[in-house]
Coordinates of all heavy atoms in Angstrom, one line a residue:
M7 N -10.3 -6.6 -45.4 CA -11.0 -5.7 -44.6 C -11.5 -6.3 -43.3 O -11.8 -7.5 -43.3 CB -12.2 -5.1 -45.4 CG -11.9 -4.2 -46.4 SD -13.4 -3.2 -46.7 CE -12.7 -2.1 -47.8
S8 N -11.5 -5.6 -42.3 CA -11.9 -6.1 -41.0 C -13.4 -6.1 -40.9 O -14.1 -5.2 -41.3 CB -11.3 -5.2 -39.9 OG -11.7 -5.7 -38.6
N9 N -13.9 -7.2 -40.3 CA -15.3 -7.3 -40.1 C -15.6 -6.8 -38.6 O -14.8 -7.0 -37.7 CB -15.7 -8.8 -40.2 CG -17.2 -8.9 -40.3 OD1 -18.0 -8.0 -40.1 ND2 -17.7 -10.1 -40.7
V10 N -16.8 -6.3 -38.4 CA -17.2 -5.8 -37.0 C -17.1 -6.9 -36.0 O -16.8 -6.8 -34.9 CB -18.6 -5.1 -37.1 CG1 -19.0 -4.7 -35.7 CG2 -18.5 -3.9 -38.0
S11 N -17.5 -8.1 -36.4 CA -17.5 -9.3 -35.5 C -16.1 -9.7 -35.1 O -16.0 -10.4 -34.1 CB -18.3 -10.4 -36.1 OG -17.6 -10.9 -37.3
D12 N -15.1 -9.3 -35.8 CA -13.7 -9.6 -35.5 C -13.2 -8.7 -34.4 O -12.1 -9.0 -33.8 CB -12.8 -9.5 -36.7 CG -13.1 -10.5 -37.8 OD1 -13.7 -11.5 -37.4 OD2 -12.8 -10.2 -38.9
A13 N -13.9 -7.6 -34.1 CA -13.4 -6.7 -33.0 C -13.4 -7.4 -31.7 O -14.3 -8.2 -31.4 CB -14.3 -5.4 -33.0
P14 N -12.5 -7.0 -30.8 CA -12.5 -7.6 -29.4 C -13.7 -7.2 -28.7 O -14.3 -6.1 -28.9 CB -11.2 -7.1 -28.8 CG -10.8 -5.9 -29.6 CD -11.4 -6.1 -31.0
A15 N -14.1 -8.0 -27.7 CA -15.2 -7.7 -26.9 C -14.9 -6.5 -26.0 O -13.8 -6.4 -25.5 CB -15.6 -8.9 -26.0
V16 N -15.9 -5.6 -25.8 CA -15.7 -4.4 -25.0 C -16.8 -4.4 -24.0 O -17.9 -4.7 -24.3 CB -15.7 -3.1 -25.9 CG1 -15.6 -1.9 -25.0 CG2 -14.7 -3.2 -27.0
G17 N -16.4 -3.9 -22.8 CA -17.4 -3.8 -21.7 C -18.0 -5.1 -21.2 O -17.2 -6.0 -21.0
G18 N -19.3 -5.2 -21.0 CA -19.9 -6.4 -20.4 C -20.6 -7.2 -21.5 O -21.6 -7.8 -21.1
R19 N -20.1 -7.3 -22.7 CA -20.7 -8.1 -23.7 C -20.7 -9.6 -23.3 O -19.7 -10.1 -22.7 CB -20.1 -7.9 -25.0 CG -20.4 -6.5 -25.5 CD -19.7 -6.2 -26.8 NE -19.9 -7.3 -27.8 CZ -19.3 -7.3 -29.0 NH1 -18.6 -6.2 -29.3 NH2 -19.4 -8.3 -29.8
K20 N -21.7 -10.4 -23.7 CA -21.7 -11.8 -23.4 C -20.8 -12.6 -24.3 O -20.5 -13.7 -23.9 CB -23.2 -12.3 -23.6 CG -24.1 -11.7 -22.5 CD -25.5 -12.3 -22.6 CE -26.3 -11.7 -21.5 NZ -27.7 -12.2 -21.6
D21 N -20.3 -12.1 -25.4 CA -19.4 -12.9 -26.2 C -18.0 -12.5 -26.0 O -17.1 -12.3 -26.8 CB -19.8 -12.7 -27.7 CG -19.7 -11.2 -28.1 OD1 -19.6 -10.3 -27.2 OD2 -19.6 -10.9 -29.3
A22 N -17.6 -12.4 -24.7 CA -16.3 -12.1 -24.2 C -15.3 -13.1 -24.6 O -15.7 -14.3 -24.8 CB -16.3 -11.9 -22.7
P23 N -14.1 -12.8 -24.9 CA -13.1 -13.8 -25.3 C -13.0 -14.9 -24.2 O -13.1 -14.7 -23.0 CB -11.8 -13.0 -25.3 CG -12.1 -11.6 -25.3 CD -13.5 -11.5 -24.8
G24 N -12.7 -16.1 -24.7 CA -12.6 -17.2 -23.8 C -13.9 -17.9 -23.5 O -14.0 -18.8 -22.8
G25 N -15.0 -17.3 -24.0 CA -16.4 -17.9 -23.8 C -16.9 -17.7 -22.4 O -17.9 -18.3 -22.1
K26 N -16.3 -16.9 -21.6 CA -16.8 -16.7 -20.2 C -17.9 -15.6 -20.3 O -17.7 -14.6 -20.9 CB -15.7 -16.2 -19.3 CG -14.7 -17.2 -19.0 CD -13.6 -16.6 -18.1 CE -13.5 -17.3 -16.8 NZ -12.5 -16.8 -15.9
Q27 N -18.9 -15.8 -19.5 CA -19.9 -14.8 -19.3 C -19.5 -13.9 -18.2 O -18.9 -14.4 -17.2 CB -21.2 -15.5 -19.0 CG -21.7 -16.5 -20.1 CD -23.1 -16.2 -20.6 OE1 -23.8 -15.4 -19.9 NE2 -23.5 -16.8 -21.6
P28 N -19.8 -12.6 -18.3 CA -19.5 -11.7 -17.2 C -20.2 -12.1 -15.9 O -21.3 -12.6 -16.0 CB -19.9 -10.3 -17.7 CG -20.8 -10.6 -18.9 CD -20.5 -12.0 -19.4
E29 N -19.5 -11.9 -14.8 CA -20.1 -12.3 -13.5 C -21.2 -11.3 -13.2 O -21.2 -10.1 -13.5 CB -19.0 -12.2 -12.4 CG -18.0 -13.3 -12.6 CD -17.0 -13.3 -11.5 OE1 -17.3 -12.8 -10.4 OE2 -15.9 -13.8 -11.7
K30 N -22.2 -11.9 -12.5 CA -23.4 -11.0 -12.0 C -22.9 -10.2 -10.8 O -22.0 -10.6 -10.1 CB -24.6 -11.9 -11.7 CG -25.1 -12.6 -12.9 CD -26.1 -13.7 -12.6 CE -27.2 -13.2 -11.7 NZ -28.3 -14.2 -11.5
R31 N -23.6 -9.1 -10.6 CA -23.3 -8.3 -9.4 C -23.7 -9.0 -8.1 O -24.7 -9.7 -8.1 CB -24.0 -7.0 -9.5 CG -23.5 -6.1 -10.6 CD -24.1 -4.8 -10.6 NE -23.9 -4.1 -9.3 CZ -23.7 -2.8 -9.2 NH1 -23.7 -2.1 -10.2 NH2 -23.5 -2.3 -8.0
T32 N -23.0 -8.8 -7.1 CA -23.3 -9.4 -5.8 C -24.2 -8.5 -5.0 O -24.1 -7.3 -5.0 CB -22.0 -9.5 -5.0 OG1 -21.0 -10.3 -5.7 CG2 -22.2 -10.2 -3.6
G33 N -25.3 -9.1 -4.5 CA -26.2 -8.4 -3.7 C -25.7 -8.0 -2.3 O -24.6 -8.5 -1.9
P34 N -26.3 -7.0 -1.6 CA -25.8 -6.6 -0.4 C -25.7 -7.6 0.7 O -24.8 -7.7 1.5 CB -26.8 -5.5 0.1 CG -27.6 -5.2 -1.1 CD -27.5 -6.3 -2.1
V35 N -26.7 -8.5 0.7 CA -26.7 -9.6 1.8 C -25.5 -10.6 1.5 O -24.8 -10.9 2.4 CB -28.0 -10.3 1.8 CG1 -28.0 -11.5 2.7 CG2 -29.2 -9.4 2.1
T36 N -25.3 -11.0 0.3 CA -24.2 -11.9 -0.1 C -22.9 -11.2 0.2 O -22.0 -11.8 0.8 CB -24.3 -12.2 -1.6 OG1 -25.6 -12.8 -1.8 CG2 -23.2 -13.3 -1.9
F37 N -22.8 -9.9 -0.1 CA -21.6 -9.2 0.2 C -21.3 -9.1 1.7 O -20.1 -9.4 2.1 CB -21.7 -7.7 -0.4 CG -20.5 -6.9 0.0 CD1 -19.3 -7.0 -0.7 CD2 -20.6 -5.9 1.0 CE1 -18.2 -6.2 -0.4 CE2 -19.5 -5.1 1.3 CZ -18.3 -5.3 0.6
Y38 N -22.3 -8.9 2.5 CA -22.1 -8.9 3.9 C -21.6 -10.2 4.4 O -20.7 -10.3 5.3 CB -23.4 -8.4 4.6 CG -23.3 -8.4 6.1 CD1 -22.7 -7.4 6.8 CD2 -23.9 -9.5 6.9 CE1 -22.6 -7.4 8.2 CE2 -23.8 -9.5 8.2 CZ -23.1 -8.5 8.9 OH -23.0 -8.5 10.2
R39 N -22.2 -11.3 4.0 CA -21.9 -12.6 4.4 C -20.4 -12.9 4.0 O -19.7 -13.6 4.8 CB -22.8 -13.7 3.8 CG -24.2 -13.7 4.4 CD -25.0 -14.8 3.8 NE -26.4 -14.7 4.4 CZ -27.4 -15.2 3.8 NH1 -27.4 -15.7 2.6 NH2 -28.6 -15.1 4.4
Q40 N -20.0 -12.5 2.8 CA -18.6 -12.7 2.4 C -17.6 -11.9 3.3 O -16.6 -12.4 3.6 CB -18.5 -12.4 0.9 CG -19.2 -13.3 0.0 CD -19.1 -12.9 -1.5 OE1 -18.7 -11.7 -1.8 NE2 -19.5 -13.8 -2.4
V41 N -18.0 -10.7 3.6 CA -17.2 -9.9 4.5 C -17.0 -10.6 5.8 O -15.9 -10.7 6.4 CB -17.7 -8.5 4.6 CG1 -17.0 -7.7 5.7 CG2 -17.6 -7.7 3.3
V42 N -18.1 -11.0 6.4 CA -18.0 -11.7 7.7 C -17.2 -13.0 7.6 O -16.3 -13.2 8.5 CB -19.4 -12.0 8.2 CG1 -19.4 -12.9 9.5 CG2 -20.2 -10.7 8.5
A43 N -17.3 -13.7 6.5 CA -16.6 -15.0 6.4 C -15.1 -14.6 6.2 O -14.2 -15.4 6.8 CB -17.0 -15.7 5.1
E44 N -14.7 -13.6 5.6 CA -13.3 -13.2 5.4 C -12.7 -12.7 6.8 O -11.6 -13.0 7.1 CB -13.1 -12.1 4.4 CG -13.3 -12.6 2.9 CD -12.3 -13.7 2.6 OE1 -11.1 -13.6 2.9 OE2 -12.7 -14.7 1.9
L45 N -13.5 -12.0 7.5 CA -13.1 -11.5 8.8 C -12.8 -12.6 9.8 O -12.0 -12.5 10.7 CB -14.0 -10.4 9.4 CG -14.0 -9.1 8.7 CD1 -15.1 -8.2 9.3 CD2 -12.7 -8.4 8.9
R46 N -13.5 -13.7 9.6 CA -13.3 -14.8 10.5 C -12.0 -15.5 10.3 O -11.5 -16.2 11.1 CB -14.5 -15.9 10.4 CG -15.7 -15.4 11.0 CD -16.8 -16.5 11.0 NE -18.0 -16.0 11.6 CZ -19.2 -16.2 11.2 NH1 -19.4 -16.9 10.1 NH2 -20.3 -15.7 11.8
K47 N -11.4 -15.3 9.1 CA -10.1 -15.9 8.7 C -9.0 -15.1 9.2 O -7.8 -15.6 9.3 CB -10.0 -16.0 7.2 CG -11.0 -16.9 6.5 CD -10.8 -16.8 5.0 CE -11.9 -17.6 4.3 NZ -11.7 -17.5 2.8
V48 N -9.2 -13.9 9.7 CA -8.1 -13.0 10.1 C -7.6 -13.5 11.4 O -8.3 -13.9 12.4 CB -8.6 -11.5 10.3 CG1 -7.6 -10.6 10.9 CG2 -9.1 -11.0 9.0
V49 N -6.2 -13.5 11.5 CA -5.6 -13.9 12.7 C -5.0 -12.7 13.4 O -4.2 -12.0 12.9 CB -4.4 -14.9 12.4 CG1 -3.7 -15.3 13.7 CG2 -4.9 -16.1 11.7
Y50 N -5.6 -12.3 14.5 CA -5.2 -11.1 15.2 C -4.1 -11.4 16.1 O -4.0 -12.4 16.7 CB -6.4 -10.6 16.0 CG -7.6 -10.1 15.2 CD1 -8.7 -10.9 14.9 CD2 -7.6 -8.8 14.6 CE1 -9.7 -10.5 14.1 CE2 -8.6 -8.4 13.8 CZ -9.7 -9.2 13.5 OH -10.7 -8.8 12.7
P51 N -3.1 -10.4 16.2 CA -2.0 -10.6 17.1 C -2.4 -10.6 18.6 O -3.3 -9.9 19.0 CB -1.0 -9.4 16.8 CG -1.9 -8.4 16.2 CD -3.1 -9.1 15.5
T52 N -1.6 -11.3 19.4 CA -1.8 -11.2 20.8 C -1.3 -9.8 21.4 O -0.6 -9.1 20.6 CB -1.0 -12.3 21.5 OG1 0.4 -12.1 21.3 CG2 -1.4 -13.7 21.0
R53 N -1.6 -9.5 22.6 CA -1.1 -8.3 23.2 C 0.4 -8.2 23.2 O 1.0 -7.2 22.9 CB -1.7 -8.1 24.6 CG -1.3 -6.8 25.3 CD -1.9 -6.6 26.6 NE -3.3 -6.5 26.6 CZ -4.0 -5.4 26.5 NH1 -3.3 -4.3 26.4 NH2 -5.3 -5.4 26.5
E54 N 1.0 -9.3 23.5 CA 2.5 -9.4 23.6 C 3.1 -9.1 22.2 O 4.1 -8.4 22.0 CB 2.9 -10.7 24.1 CG 4.4 -10.9 24.2 CD 4.8 -12.3 24.8 OE1 4.3 -12.6 25.8 OE2 5.7 -12.9 24.1
Q55 N 2.5 -9.7 21.2 CA 3.0 -9.5 19.8 C 2.8 -8.0 19.4 O 3.7 -7.4 18.8 CB 2.3 -10.4 18.8 CG 2.6 -11.9 18.9 CD 1.8 -12.7 18.0 OE1 0.6 -12.4 17.8 NE2 2.3 -13.8 17.5
L56 N 1.7 -7.5 19.8 CA 1.3 -6.1 19.4 C 2.3 -5.1 20.0 O 2.8 -4.2 19.4 CB -0.1 -5.8 19.8 CG -0.7 -4.5 19.2 CD1 -0.8 -4.7 17.7 CD2 -2.1 -4.3 19.8
V57 N 2.7 -5.4 21.3 CA 3.6 -4.5 22.0 C 5.0 -4.7 21.3 O 5.7 -3.7 21.1 CB 3.7 -4.9 23.5 CG1 4.9 -4.2 24.2 CG2 2.4 -4.5 24.2
T58 N 5.4 -5.9 21.0 CA 6.7 -6.1 20.3 C 6.7 -5.4 19.0 O 7.7 -4.7 18.7 CB 6.9 -7.6 20.1 OG1 6.9 -8.3 21.4 CG2 8.2 -7.9 19.5
Y59 N 5.7 -5.6 18.2 CA 5.6 -4.9 16.9 C 5.7 -3.4 17.0 O 6.3 -2.7 16.2 CB 4.3 -5.3 16.1 CG 4.2 -6.8 15.8 CD1 3.0 -7.3 15.5 CD2 5.3 -7.6 15.7 CE1 2.9 -8.7 15.2 CE2 5.2 -8.9 15.4 CZ 4.0 -9.5 15.1 OH 3.9 -10.8 14.8
F60 N 5.0 -2.9 18.0 CA 5.0 -1.4 18.3 C 6.4 -0.9 18.5 O 6.9 0.1 17.9 CB 4.1 -1.1 19.5 CG 4.3 0.3 19.9 CD1 3.7 1.4 19.2 CD2 5.0 0.7 21.0 CE1 3.8 2.7 19.6 CE2 5.1 2.0 21.4 CZ 4.5 3.0 20.7
F61 N 7.2 -1.6 19.4 CA 8.5 -1.1 19.7 C 9.5 -1.3 18.5 O 10.4 -0.5 18.3 CB 9.1 -1.8 20.9 CG 8.5 -1.2 22.2 CD1 7.7 -2.0 23.0 CD2 8.7 0.1 22.5 CE1 7.1 -1.5 24.2 CE2 8.1 0.6 23.7 CZ 7.3 -0.1 24.5
V62 N 9.3 -2.4 17.7 CA 10.1 -2.6 16.5 C 9.9 -1.4 15.5 O 10.8 -0.9 15.0 CB 9.8 -4.0 15.9 CG1 10.4 -4.1 14.5 CG2 10.3 -5.1 16.8
V63 N 8.6 -1.1 15.3 CA 8.3 0.0 14.4 C 8.8 1.3 14.9 O 9.4 2.1 14.2 CB 6.8 0.0 14.1 CG1 6.4 1.3 13.4 CG2 6.3 -1.2 13.3
L64 N 8.7 1.5 16.2 CA 9.1 2.8 16.8 C 10.6 2.9 16.7 O 11.1 4.0 16.3 CB 8.7 2.8 18.3 CG 9.1 4.1 19.1 CD1 8.3 5.3 18.5 CD2 8.8 3.9 20.5
A65 N 11.4 1.8 16.9 CA 12.8 1.9 16.8 C 13.2 2.1 15.3 O 14.1 3.0 15.0 CB 13.4 0.5 17.2
F66 N 12.5 1.5 14.4 CA 12.8 1.7 12.9 C 12.6 3.2 12.6 O 13.4 3.8 11.9 CB 12.0 0.8 12.1 CG 12.1 1.0 10.6 CD1 13.3 0.5 10.0 CD2 11.2 1.7 9.9 CE1 13.4 0.8 8.6 CE2 11.3 1.9 8.5 CZ 12.5 1.4 7.9
V67 N 11.5 3.7 13.0 CA 11.1 5.1 12.7 C 12.2 6.1 13.3 O 12.6 7.0 12.6 CB 9.7 5.5 13.1 CG1 9.5 6.9 13.0 CG2 8.7 4.7 12.3
L68 N 12.6 5.8 14.5 CA 13.6 6.7 15.1 C 14.9 6.6 14.4 O 15.6 7.6 14.2 CB 13.8 6.3 16.6 CG 12.6 6.6 17.5 CD1 12.8 6.1 18.9 CD2 12.3 8.1 17.5
V69 N 15.3 5.4 13.9 CA 16.6 5.3 13.1 C 16.4 6.0 11.8 O 17.4 6.7 11.4 CB 16.9 3.8 12.9 CG1 18.0 3.6 11.9 CG2 17.3 3.1 14.2
M70 N 15.3 5.9 11.2 CA 15.1 6.6 9.9 C 15.1 8.1 10.1 O 15.7 8.9 9.3 CB 13.8 6.2 9.2 CG 13.8 4.7 8.8 SD 15.2 4.3 7.7 CE 14.9 5.3 6.3
I71 N 14.5 8.6 11.2 CA 14.6 10.0 11.5 C 16.0 10.5 11.7 O 16.4 11.6 11.2 CB 13.7 10.3 12.8 CG1 12.2 10.2 12.5 CG2 14.0 11.7 13.3 CD1 11.3 10.3 13.7
A72 N 16.8 9.7 12.4 CA 18.2 10.1 12.6 C 19.0 10.1 11.3 O 19.7 11.1 11.1 CB 18.9 9.1 13.6
I73 N 18.8 9.1 10.4 CA 19.5 9.1 9.1 C 19.1 10.3 8.3 O 19.9 11.0 7.7 CB 19.2 7.8 8.4 CG1 19.8 6.6 9.1 CG2 19.6 7.9 6.9 CD1 19.4 5.3 8.6
V74 N 17.8 10.6 8.2 CA 17.3 11.8 7.4 C 17.8 13.1 8.0 O 18.2 14.0 7.3 CB 15.8 11.7 7.3 CG1 15.3 13.0 6.7 CG2 15.3 10.5 6.5
S75 N 17.9 13.2 9.3 CA 18.3 14.4 10.0 C 19.8 14.6 9.7 O 20.2 15.8 9.4 CB 18.1 14.3 11.5 OG 16.8 14.2 11.8
V76 N 20.6 13.6 9.8 CA 22.0 13.7 9.5 C 22.3 14.1 8.0 O 23.1 15.0 7.7 CB 22.8 12.4 9.8 CG1 24.2 12.4 9.3 CG2 22.8 12.2 11.3
L77 N 21.5 13.4 7.1 CA 21.7 13.8 5.7 C 21.2 15.2 5.4 O 21.9 16.0 4.7 CB 20.8 12.8 4.8 CG 21.4 11.4 4.7 CD1 20.4 10.5 4.0 CD2 22.7 11.4 4.0
D78 N 20.1 15.6 6.1 CA 19.6 17.0 5.9 C 20.7 18.0 6.4 O 21.0 19.0 5.7 CB 18.3 17.2 6.6 CG 17.7 18.6 6.5 OD1 17.6 19.0 5.3 OD2 17.5 19.2 7.5
L79 N 21.3 17.8 7.5 CA 22.3 18.6 8.1 C 23.5 18.7 7.2 O 24.0 19.8 6.9 CB 22.7 18.2 9.5 CG 23.7 19.0 10.2 CD1 23.1 20.4 10.5 CD2 24.2 18.3 11.5
G80 N 23.9 17.5 6.7 CA 25.1 17.5 5.8 C 24.9 18.2 4.5 O 25.7 19.0 4.1
F81 N 23.7 17.9 3.9 CA 23.4 18.6 2.6 C 23.2 20.1 2.8 O 23.5 20.9 1.9 CB 22.2 18.0 1.9 CG 22.6 16.6 1.2 CD1 21.8 15.5 1.5 CD2 23.6 16.5 0.4 CE1 22.1 14.3 0.9 CE2 23.9 15.3 -0.2 CZ 23.2 14.2 0.1
G82 N 22.6 20.5 3.9 CA 22.4 21.9 4.2 C 23.7 22.6 4.4 O 23.9 23.7 3.8
K83 N 24.7 22.0 5.1 CA 26.0 22.7 5.2 C 26.7 22.7 3.9 O 27.4 23.7 3.6 CB 26.8 21.9 6.3 CG 26.4 22.2 7.7 CD 27.4 21.6 8.7 CE 26.9 22.0 10.1 NZ 27.9 21.8 11.1
L84 N 26.6 21.7 3.1 CA 27.2 21.6 1.8 C 26.7 22.7 0.9 O 27.4 23.5 0.2 CB 27.1 20.2 1.1 CG 27.6 20.1 -0.3 CD1 29.2 20.2 -0.2 CD2 27.2 18.8 -0.9
A85 N 25.3 22.8 0.9 CA 24.7 23.9 0.1 C 25.1 25.3 0.6 O 25.4 26.2 -0.3 CB 23.2 23.7 0.1
F86 N 25.2 25.5 1.9 CA 25.6 26.8 2.4 C 27.1 27.1 2.0 O 27.3 28.2 1.6 CB 25.6 26.7 3.9 CG 25.9 28.0 4.6 CD1 25.0 29.0 4.6 CD2 27.1 28.2 5.2 CE1 25.2 30.3 5.2 CE2 27.4 29.4 5.8 CZ 26.4 30.5 5.8
E87 N 28.0 26.1 2.0 CA 29.3 26.3 1.6 C 29.4 26.6 0.1 O 30.2 27.5 -0.4 CB 30.2 25.1 1.9 CG 30.5 24.9 3.3 CD 31.3 26.1 3.9 OE1 32.2 26.6 3.3 OE2 31.0 26.4 5.1
V88 N 28.6 25.9 -0.7 CA 28.6 26.2 -2.2 C 28.1 27.5 -2.5 O 28.7 28.3 -3.3 CB 27.8 25.0 -2.9 CG1 27.6 25.4 -4.4 CG2 28.6 23.7 -2.8
F89 N 27.0 27.9 -2.0 CA 26.3 29.2 -2.4 C 26.8 30.4 -1.7 O 26.6 31.5 -2.1 CB 24.8 29.0 -2.2 CG 24.2 28.1 -3.2 CD1 23.7 26.9 -2.8 CD2 24.2 28.4 -4.6 CE1 23.1 26.0 -3.7 CE2 23.7 27.5 -5.5 CZ 23.1 26.3 -5.0
T90 N 27.5 30.3 -0.5 CA 28.0 31.5 0.1 C 29.5 31.7 -0.4 O 30.0 32.8 -0.2 CB 28.0 31.3 1.6 OG1 28.8 30.2 2.0 CG2 26.6 31.3 2.2
G91 N 30.1 30.8 -1.0 CA 31.4 30.9 -1.6 C 32.5 31.0 -0.5 O 32.6 32.0 0.2
A92 N 33.2 29.9 -0.3 CA 34.2 29.9 0.7 C 35.4 30.6 0.2 O 36.0 30.3 -0.8 CB 34.6 28.4 1.0
D93 N 35.8 31.7 0.9 CA 36.9 32.6 0.5 C 38.2 32.1 1.0 O 39.3 32.7 0.8 CB 36.7 34.0 1.0 CG 35.5 34.7 0.3 OD1 35.2 34.3 -0.9 OD2 34.9 35.6 0.9
D94 N 38.2 31.0 1.8 CA 39.4 30.5 2.4 C 40.3 29.8 1.4 O 41.5 29.7 1.6 CB 39.1 29.5 3.5 CG 38.3 30.1 4.6 OD1 38.3 31.3 4.7 OD2 37.7 29.3 5.4
I95 N 39.8 29.4 0.3 CA 40.6 28.6 -0.7 C 41.4 29.5 -1.6 O 41.2 30.5 -2.0 CB 39.7 27.7 -1.5 CG1 39.0 26.7 -0.6 CG2 40.5 26.9 -2.5 CD1 38.0 25.9 -1.3

């Protein structure tokens, strides 16, 4: 028979597996300091990089629009031929 103490730890119990105690909640001041510290690590792109990235993304989106448009037109014509019944054959 299983004993209650053999059950795995659930929620925030202190007898969690591995002997680790659950972490305490972070206060608002500590959270703010951590956010500021992380934002200082961010490397922002230069204006030149930003313009380059913009045009690369724009070109990619335009290519994808073209591909989807061609596929849509092709499948639309195919569906029209299938469902209207081509009498030429």
Side-chain angles (χ1 to χ4, degrees):
M7 286 200 174
S8 177
N9 193 352
V10 175
S11 63
D12 294 337
V16 179
R19 291 177 44 184
K20 290 184 180 180
D21 58 344
K26 289 177 121 181
Q27 298 232 350
E29 294 184 24
K30 292 169 52 173
R31 290 184 62 142
T32 303
V35 174
T36 305
F37 175 76
Y38 178 76
R39 286 182 182 157
Q40 290 174 348
V41 168
V42 170
E44 289 298 319
L45 285 175
R46 285 189 181 136
K47 296 178 187 177
V48 175
V49 178
Y50 293 98
T52 63
R53 181 177 296 270
E54 182 179 307
Q55 289 173 329
L56 196 61
V57 170
T58 303
Y59 296 158
F60 170 77
F61 284 116
V62 168
V63 170
L64 184 65
F66 176 77
V67 169
L68 291 175
V69 168
M70 293 307 296
I71 288 172
I73 291 171
V74 170
S75 297
V76 168
L77 287 173
D78 181 53
L79 181 66
F81 285 127
K83 286 190 176 196
L84 179 67
F86 185 73
E87 289 296 322
V88 167
F89 290 113
T90 58
D93 292 335
D94 297 345
I95 299 176

